[in-house]
Amino acid sequence: MTVNYQLDVSSGNPLLFLKLLSRWRGSIWKSVAGDLAVWLVFFYAVHFTYLYVLLKDWQLIFDKISIHMDDRMKYLPLTFMLGFFVTTVFERWRSALNVMPFIESVALSVAVLLPGKGEEDRLTRRAIVRYVVLHQVLVFRDISMRVRRRFPTLQYVVDAGFMEPEERDELEAVCCNPGQNYWVPINWANSLALDAHQRKLIDQPTAFNNLILAIKEFRVSMETLIKFDSIPIPIAYPQVVFLAVRVYFTICIVSRQFLISDLKSKTQMDWPVPIMSILEFIFVIGWMKVAEVLLNPLGEDDDDFEVNWIIDKNISVSSFLPEMIVIFLKFQTGMAIVDNTHGYHPNLVNDKFADPDYLPAYSEKSQLPRTLTGSAAKVELASPDDAVKIVRVNPEDAPPTSERGSIFTKRNAFSLRNRTISISSNNIESPSQERKFNLSMPATMLSKSKQPDRPGLETLNEENEPASNNHFRRGDRIYSSDSVNALN
């Protein structure tokens, strides 16, 4: 069963860390305990052989080998390979989780679009839902060992009620290779929908089309799971990652030994337990075990998908009849939607929310919600009675983005056309104060198609030379004397 710890992390209390570490099933301790025990056995076997079996000369040779290996461990890009691999595997795991189908969408569509009250209508709705779930069972039998152990043969599927003996014979009579007849139950469901449409049990063509699309979406989701199982990550990728991790810690058995000669590091301490190596083993091997579990989410690990529960949930769940009888019965999710509770709804009443004085209700021990408002909603920059002056701005007069923020920034490019610039007062109520003057470019500037990023000698000379008789320069603009006379 999937390990659920959501209740433990419902609040960020200081004991959250201890709650998570105290879990055993599906935990890092369960994943690395066996590997760590084997690694420690080999580590201490080499340790005692080095101390009590090897001669002095052989111990010196062992010291050189250990130091050499420890110095060359950095050549293995372990964290890079493992991190990239875990990311890739997690993306596949999340995609498989997102397409895991439930029967509710199909059953609700069948119940609404095939609304007849007759016995034949009821049996048609039940058969469509059962065939869709049968399709799911057949697919899970071939991609999940848990479901395969539950239904070793098709006879077990018949005994469980998903298929009738006659239907099993028809399924086996289809000339397909083993594992290629998943489409047969979907074809039966579509045929029933088409027959209902032809007999006017489904009146509108759009309703028939919506029902076929609901069945199709369920089939496409199962097809995606088949692709994930049939086409895994190229085997060389997990091979190189798993081999690199195990080779790394195999080398650590020699390179992390406590040496007794003068060649040992000055910072080395003769501890009987390699604490730092054990911590590194737990973290790295635990990281790798996560990838191994996520590699096949339909397997038999603690955190794999509960596909047997999904099948049971799609076909059976506790429910009850709401018609004046409080008797709990065992109904099916899909079957309850299309049969037992089909066409039922409670009596219409005037609910409490119609009261204009209604207030939200909470239990005494519940936590009151916080209101969600914008971060700048409560900032007051002006009182409602303040007179705000509105300034109209011509977009052509706005400086380029790179020049905004400083009025002294000099432009690097000039417009090659004549422009009329309007300078108006801040008060929009007096448009008569608007003044206009023309901007024209001298002939020397019109010959240049692009202003250089850095001013050259010619540019500097043009900036330093006096303006012509008809034009004068002010800052980085050249004004016409005629326009100035018109202003005066």
Side-chain angles (χ1 to χ4, degrees), residues 35 37 110 160 203 227 270 321 365-366 370 390 415 430 440:
D35 296 298
V110 171
D203 296 333
K227 293 177 181 178
D270 295 333
L321 283 175
K365 297 182 179 180
S366 61
R370 297 182 178 89
I390 305 300
S415 176
S430 56
S440 59

Side-chain angles (χ1 to χ4, degrees), residues 37-57:
V38 173
W39 186 82
L40 287 176
V41 168
F42 281 98
F43 181 87
Y44 282 108
V46 174
H47 179 70
F48 289 118
T49 301
Y50 166 70
L51 291 180
Y52 304 109
V53 177
L54 296 182
L55 299 176
K56 193 74 173 179
D57 296 339

Side-chain angles (χ1 to χ4, degrees), residues 243-259:
L243 180 63
V245 173
R246 286 170 171 83
V247 167
Y248 178 87
F249 285 102
T250 301
I251 297 175
C252 287
I253 294 177
V254 176
S255 63
R256 302 293 174 83
Q257 292 290 336
F258 299 109
L259 307 180

